[in-house]
Amino acid sequence: KNKKYLGKEIEVLVDGCEKGKCRGMSREYKKVVFAGAKSLIGQIINVKINKAREWELEGGRKNKSRF
């Protein structure tokens, strides 16, 4: 199911960061993990998905969101 997100850029609300890895939820309530800093907590950012696992998506920060 999560494979449909591969290569796509999605908006993520960042809810936590630890040891250089941040996590958050997409608008579709998918768990997303990516590299980032604690300063991103509470922000909505764009993440390009490059790995799809059964319970989470992994990607890289693309650019700042319009919010």
Side-chain angles (χ1 to χ4, degrees), residues 12-17 22-25 32 34 40-43:
V12 176
L13 173 60
V14 183
D15 61 18
C17 293
C22 291
R23 67 185 178 282
M25 297 293 276
V32 182
F34 56 94
L40 295 174
I41 295 173
Q43 294 185 40

Side-chain angles (χ1 to χ4, degrees), residues 12-66:
V12 176
L13 173 60
V14 183
D15 61 18
C17 293
E18 193 173 303
K19 298 180 184 178
K21 285 277 190 180
C22 291
R23 67 185 178 282
M25 297 293 276
S26 73
R27 291 185 183 271
E28 297 84 14
Y29 299 102
K30 298 290 183 181
K31 182 178 175 185
V32 182
V33 178
F34 56 94
K38 288 185 178 185
S39 61
L40 295 174
I41 295 173
Q43 294 185 40
I44 297 173
I45 64 162
N46 293 323
V47 176
K48 185 167 183 179
I49 303 303
N50 54 35
K51 288 185 185 175
R53 297 188 178 95
E54 188 173 353
W55 299 106
E56 71 181 9
L57 301 169
E58 187 173 329
R61 187 170 176 209
K62 193 69 175 143
N63 54 28
K64 289 187 179 178
S65 177
R66 65 183 184 273

